[in-house]
Amino acid sequence: MTRTGKEIVRIDNLHKRYGELEVLKGVDLSVTRGEVVVVVGPSGTGKSTLLRCINLLTVPDSGRVWVDGVEVTAAKTNVNRVRANIGMVFQDFNLFSHLTALQNVAIGLRKVKGISAGRANERAMEELARVGLADKAGSYPNQLSGGQKQRVAIARALAMNPKVMLFDEPTSALDPELIGEVLDVMKRLAHEGITMLVVTHEMGFAKEVSNRLIFMEGGVIVEDGPPDRVFFRPQHSRTRQFLGKISELYGKDEGSAGIDE
Amino acid sequence: MMSDVPAGTVDYLIFILPTLLKGAVVTIKLSTTAFTIGLALGLPLAMIRVYGRGFIRGVAMVYIEALRGTPLLVQLFVIYYGLPDLVPALQLDRYTAAFLALGLNSAAYQAEYFRGAIQSINEGQLQAALSVGMTPFQAVRHIVIPQALRLSLPALSNEVAYMLKYTSIVFIIAVPDLMARGKIIIGKHWRAEEVLTAVAVIYIVLVNTAAKAMGFIEDRYRIPGLQTDRPA
Amino acid sequence: MEGYIAVFRSIPYIFSGVKTTLLLTGAGLAFGALLGLPLALVRVYAGGLWAFVVNLYIQTIRSLPLLVIIFLFYYGIAQALNLPEFLAAALALAVRSSAYQAELFRGAIQSIAQGQMLAARSLGMTRLEAVGYIIVPQAIRVSIPSWSNEAAIVLKDSSLAYAVGVLELMRHTEYVSARTGEPFVSFMVAGVIYFAITFATNRSLDAAERRLRIPSQA
C-alpha cells in the first residue's frame, strides 16, 4: 500500500498496562491525511486507550506517537499545543455544563488560541451550523438531547481546526433513534476530507465512508485493510467471528440503526 | 508562688498537665452528657417533625430552627442568666446550666440529622411493613428507627466532635473544663503560648480519638450499600 | 415592666453591635474563602508533600475549638504584634473557616465529573486553564448550599469574640442586660437578631443559587 499523502498520525510500538492487565501490546499505526480509519474490536482491548495515547490523555508506558510531524511523546513537546491540533469526541459528550452550546464551541478558540470573543463566536456559529445546530446556540447542555449534545461536541472539536479528529465510541451512549443524526455529521466530515480515527461498533458507517477498517484484539492490531476486504475476506478467523457477530446485531447491509425493516 | 514554677518548657508542661487533664475530664463529661441528652431528645423531635401534625409539629420545628439558628453562647446565657430572671426558682448552678444548654443545642442538630435519615428511608418500606400487618408504631420501631440510627452515624460522629469542641464555651460561666483551666493558668503565669499549645494538643487528641472510636462504630453498624453524606 | 421598656429603648445600642458582628463574619468568610479555595485546589490537584501539608493544616484546625484558636491569636500573635482584639478574633474566624471551606470546596470540585477535565484538556487547555475556566465555575455553583451553611456557622461563632472583649452583638447585649437588669429579654432579643440575620443570609444565598443555576430541561 503506497502512501502518497502526508502522514498525520504515526504510532510506533505502543505499550500500556493497567496494573496486571496489558491493554496495548505493541501497536503500530500510520494514518494519512484524509483517511477515515475505523477501529473495531471487543471491549477492553485497548481501542479507547489507543485513541487517548494519541493526544496523551493517557500516557503510554513505552512507544512513540507523532501527530503532523511532531512527536507527542517526546519530553520537550508542549502537550497542550499538540492537543489543540487534535480534535476528540467522547462517548459521554463531556460538554461543559455551565456554558451554552455556542460558548462550548467558542471556549477553545478564546482561551487556548487566544482569539477575540467576537471572532470566536462567529467561528463557533459556523461550526454549529455545520453540524446543523445553529438554532441551539443559546441552549445549555442540559436542554439538549443526546444526539444534539454529541453534535455540539463535534462542533467544539472542529472549531479548533484540528489535523485529525479522534472519535471514541461517539454513538455508544445514544438512544438508537439519535445515532443517525450524529453519523450523518460524521459521514459529511469524511466526505469533506477530514482525517478521522473512529472507534465504533457502527459497521454501516465503516462500510460507507471509511478507507480502512482495523480489527483490534488483545492489545494488538489483528487486521488492517480496506473495509470490503476486511469484511468479506478477512485473513484471520477471529476477525471473521467478531465481524459476523456484529453484523448479526447491527444489520449487515443497512447503515446506522433506526431504519425500519 | 512564681518561684516554684519550672522555667523550662517541657518541665512547665509536665507541671501544668495534671490540672489540664482534670479539665479534660470535665470536658469529656460535658460532651458525653450533652450528646446523650441530644440523642434522647433529638430522636423523638425528629419523629415529631416527620410524622407529627399541627401544633406539636410546629413546636418541634420552631425549637429546631431556633436552636440551630442562634449562637450557642446566646442559649447558654439565656439559660444561666435569663431563666432565673424569668423565674427566680430556676437559678441553675453553672454545671446544670452548661449540661442543659449543650444538651438542648445538640438535640436540635441531632433532630435534623435523624430527620434526614428518616426521610431517606423510602416510603415503600413503611408500606411494606404495614402490609404485613405491623402497626404504624411497630413499623417505626422495627423498620425506621434502626435504619435511621445507622444512616445517621456519620453525622452523629461529626456531632460528637462538635460537642467536644463547643464545650469550651462553658469557661465563660466558670465551669472548670479544659479551656477554663487553661485560661486560669495563663492568668497565673502568663505563659500563654505554652499553655495554649498544651490545651490545643489535648483537644486534638480528644477529637481525633473520638473520631476514630466513632469510625469503628460506623464500620460495625454501617448498612452495606447505603451511604449518607456527612454535613460540612 | 419598666425593665422591658428599658430593654426596648436599648435596642439601638444592641444593634450597634451588629455592625461589628457582621464585620467579623464577613472578614472570616471572605478570608476563609480566599484561603480555602486554593487550599482545596492543592488538596485535589497537587501531589505528595503539598497536599499532605495542606491536609495536616485542615485536620488540625478542624480538631480545635474556635476559642482555642481565638486565644492563640489573642495571646500569641495579638500581644506580640499589638493587634486589637477585633483583628485577633477576625483572624481566628478566618483561619477556622478556611479549613472548613477547604473541605467543602474539595467536595464540590471532586463532584465535577472527570469527563469535564478530559474534554478541557483535549482542547489543549493547560491544567490551570481547565481548572479555572471549567472546573471552578461549576464547583462554585455546586458548593453554594454548603457555603450557606458555613456562613451561618461563622455568624454564630462570631459571638465567641465576646471572650476576648470585642464589642460585638453579645457584648453590647450583656451591657444592656446589666444596665436594665433584664437578662432574659436582652438575650432573647440578641437571639432574635442573630436568627434574623441568619435567615436573611440563607435566603439571599438561596436566591443567588437560583440565579446562577444552569437552566435545565423542565
Side-chain angles (χ1 to χ4, degrees):
Chain A
M1 207 181 325
T2 46
R3 276 189 203 77
T4 49
K6 185 176 181 197
E7 185 179 62
I8 294 290
V9 177
R10 162 117 170 258
I11 296 175
D12 254 5
N13 200 16
L14 214 53
H15 285 264
K16 178 71 186 174
R17 85 169 354 151
Y18 288 111
E20 289 294 309
L21 184 65
E22 193 175 12
V23 282
L24 292 177
K25 296 184 185 157
V27 175
D28 298 311
L29 181 62
S30 173
V31 179
T32 325
R33 187 193 345 241
E35 273 194 307
V36 174
V37 180
V38 171
V39 181
V40 300
S43 300
T45 53
K47 311 189 304 284
S48 289
T49 312
L50 178 64
L51 236 51
R52 290 190 184 188
C53 284
I54 296 177
N55 66 355
L56 233 56
L57 283 180
T58 298
V59 179
D61 296 329
S62 71
R64 299 160 87 184
V65 177
W66 287 261
V67 173
D68 201 25
V70 176
E71 188 185 342
V72 173
T73 41
K76 289 189 283 111
T77 312
N78 183 335
V79 172
N80 298 310
R81 281 251 182 78
V82 171
R83 286 184 183 146
N85 277 329
I86 303 173
M88 181 159 236
V89 177
F90 301 86
Q91 179 176 341
D92 291 324
F93 333 126
N94 290 338
L95 288 184
F96 304 131
S97 338
H98 61 306
L99 302 175
T100 62
L102 185 69
Q103 290 167 337
N104 258 278
V105 178
I107 193 167
L109 294 171
R110 293 185 54 195
K111 303 300 181 184
V112 178
K113 294 208 159 155
I115 298 175
S116 73
R119 283 185 51 213
N121 285 344
E122 265 178 52
R123 271 288 284 129
M125 276 307 284
E126 279 172 30
E127 293 302 340
L128 278 179
R130 197 173 175 187
V131 300
L133 286 173
D135 58 330
K136 295 288 185 189
S139 301
Y140 284 89
N142 267 350
Q143 297 169 310
L144 301 173
S145 73
Q148 291 169 332
K149 283 193 251 212
Q150 195 60 301
R151 285 191 279 154
V152 173
I154 295 176
R156 178 177 63 179
L158 284 175
M160 303 291 278
N161 260 330
K163 297 288 185 298
V164 58
M165 286 282 283
L166 306 176
F167 291 83
D168 190 355
E169 303 217 29
T171 56
S172 297
L174 293 175
D175 288 333
E177 3 171 61
L178 301 173
I179 293 181
E181 63 192 70
V182 175
L183 288 181
D184 284 340
V185 169
M186 290 169 65
K187 287 179 200 170
R188 237 183 315 125
L189 292 179
H191 285 128
E192 286 174 19
I194 308 263
T195 314
M196 295 163 66
L197 190 49
V198 183
V199 171
T200 186
H201 296 300
E202 296 293 330
M203 292 290 91
F205 174 82
K207 269 187 263 173
E208 267 187 65
V209 283
S210 70
N211 310 111
R212 272 160 77 187
L213 183 56
I214 290 181
F215 175 63
M216 253 187 95
E217 191 180 33
V220 291
I221 293 181
V222 173
E223 285 223 42
D224 176 355
D228 280 336
R229 195 200 36 82
V230 174
F231 232 110
F232 296 113
R233 292 186 302 278
Q235 290 168 349
H236 297 257
S237 64
R238 191 57 198 114
T239 315
R240 192 180 303 122
Q241 263 184 342
F242 181 81
L243 291 178
K245 269 280 161 0
I246 290 236
S247 297
E248 266 175 49
L249 278 176
Y250 289 86
K252 211 164 185 246
D253 294 299
E254 261 43 60
S256 47
I259 296 179
D260 297 332
E261 292 300 341
Chain B
M1 304 284 14
M2 284 304 284
S3 50
D4 52 350
V5 173
T9 299
V10 177
D11 294 325
Y12 181 65
L13 289 177
I14 299 178
F15 176 69
I16 61 174
L17 197 58
T19 319
L20 289 180
L21 287 180
K22 276 194 229 151
V25 168
V26 175
T27 294
I28 295 175
K29 280 205 195 128
L30 277 168
S31 26
T32 44
T33 310
F35 182 81
T36 313
I37 296 176
L39 183 52
L41 199 47
L43 191 50
L45 265 175
M47 313 268 285
I48 297 174
R49 181 86 172 67
V50 177
Y51 298 121
R53 246 164 267 277
F55 179 70
I56 188 158
R57 180 158 174 265
V59 168
M61 285 179 69
V62 166
Y63 175 90
I64 295 173
E65 287 303 300
L67 290 195
R68 279 168 31 108
T70 52
L72 182 52
L73 193 56
V74 170
Q75 295 162 26
L76 183 63
F77 280 5
V78 165
I79 291 180
Y80 189 56
Y81 295 119
L83 280 186
D85 167 45
L86 203 57
V87 180
L90 282 176
Q91 172 66 64
L92 302 165
D93 70 281
R94 60 192 81 243
Y95 283 90
T96 315
F99 284 129
L100 200 55
L102 290 167
L104 291 177
N105 183 273
S106 186
Y109 283 89
Q110 292 197 41
E112 273 300 282
Y113 303 149
F114 290 134
R115 176 174 78 88
I118 292 173
Q119 287 179 327
S120 80
I121 301 170
N122 67 20
E123 184 76 53
Q125 293 195 40
L126 257 186
Q127 290 173 346
L130 293 176
S131 71
V132 297
M134 289 196 205
T135 66
F137 179 75
Q138 285 177 313
V140 165
R141 170 148 157 33
H142 295 290
I143 307 298
V144 174
I145 294 189
Q147 287 188 63
L149 282 174
R150 286 154 85 167
L151 287 171
S152 317
L153 276 176
L156 289 181
S157 146
N158 236 26
E159 179 66 12
V160 169
Y162 264 71
M163 275 292 110
L164 277 168
K165 289 183 280 181
Y166 274 96
T167 52
S168 53
I169 72 163
V170 302
F171 95 91
I172 294 180
I173 59 171
V175 171
D177 75 323
L178 176 54
M179 186 78 255
R181 306 265 188 181
K183 195 134 188 315
I184 293 171
I185 296 176
I186 293 178
K188 277 202 233 162
H189 310 146
W190 286 107
R191 292 169 72 161
E193 293 89 2
E194 288 152 297
V195 178
L196 286 173
T197 311
V199 168
V201 167
I202 298 178
Y203 270 115
I204 293 177
V205 168
L206 284 176
V207 170
N208 284 314
T209 313
K212 283 264 166 58
M214 290 302 285
F216 282 130
I217 298 180
E218 266 184 78
D219 283 335
R220 173 105 169 55
Y221 288 103
R222 174 179 302 152
I223 302 176
L226 280 179
Q227 277 208 14
T228 35
D229 290 321
R230 226 167 228 277
Chain C
M1 201 57 222
E2 325 98 44
Y4 283 35
I5 296 178
V7 175
F8 289 121
R9 283 238 189 85
S10 311
I11 285 186
Y13 180 69
I14 296 182
F15 249 96
S16 59
V18 170
K19 192 173 112 193
T20 312
T21 289
L22 288 176
L23 274 172
L24 279 171
T25 308
L29 278 173
F31 288 111
L34 238 54
L35 190 52
L37 186 51
L39 285 177
L41 289 171
V42 169
R43 258 302 241 132
V44 178
Y45 293 117
L49 187 61
W50 286 114
F52 178 77
V53 167
V54 165
N55 195 29
L56 194 61
Y57 169 84
I58 294 174
Q59 299 311 327
T60 306
I61 302 285
R62 282 165 58 113
S63 307
L64 291 175
L66 176 58
L67 273 176
V68 172
I69 303 178
I70 292 180
F71 284 132
L72 275 168
F73 274 99
Y74 181 67
Y75 287 113
I77 304 185
Q79 308 282 47
L81 298 177
N82 221 4
L83 292 176
E85 52 282 342
F86 173 84
L87 267 174
L91 277 170
L93 284 168
V95 162
R96 181 215 151 269
S97 193
S98 71
Y100 282 86
Q101 290 196 45
E103 277 299 280
L104 80 88
F105 285 135
R106 174 177 75 89
I109 291 170
Q110 288 180 325
S111 77
I112 308 295
Q114 255 276 41
Q116 299 281 303
M117 181 60 120
L118 279 178
R121 301 303 312 274
S122 78
L123 287 175
M125 289 194 204
T126 62
R127 226 171 172 213
L128 191 61
E129 288 169 332
V131 167
Y133 296 128
I134 306 300
I135 304 288
V136 169
Q138 294 185 61
I140 301 237
R141 282 177 177 86
V142 169
S143 63
I144 292 184
S146 306
W147 204 87
S148 172
N149 203 35
E150 171 68 9
I153 291 176
V154 176
L155 173 65
K156 288 180 280 178
D157 279 350
S158 71
S159 62
L160 296 182
Y162 168 92
V164 290
V166 177
L167 294 176
E168 40 68 71
L169 181 48
M170 282 307 287
R171 203 40 92 152
H172 281 228
T173 309
E174 199 213 14
Y175 288 169
V176 168
S177 156
R179 255 192 300 118
T180 63
E182 297 283 349
F184 184 77
V185 181
S186 308
F187 288 118
M188 287 300 270
V189 167
V192 167
I193 297 178
Y194 274 110
F195 188 81
I197 304 177
T198 309
F199 190 75
T201 313
N202 279 341
R203 271 301 166 81
S204 345
L205 285 171
D206 279 346
E209 191 200 5
R210 254 172 287 129
R211 290 196 62 206
L212 286 177
R213 185 172 298 168
I214 312 294
S216 56
Q217 286 162 315

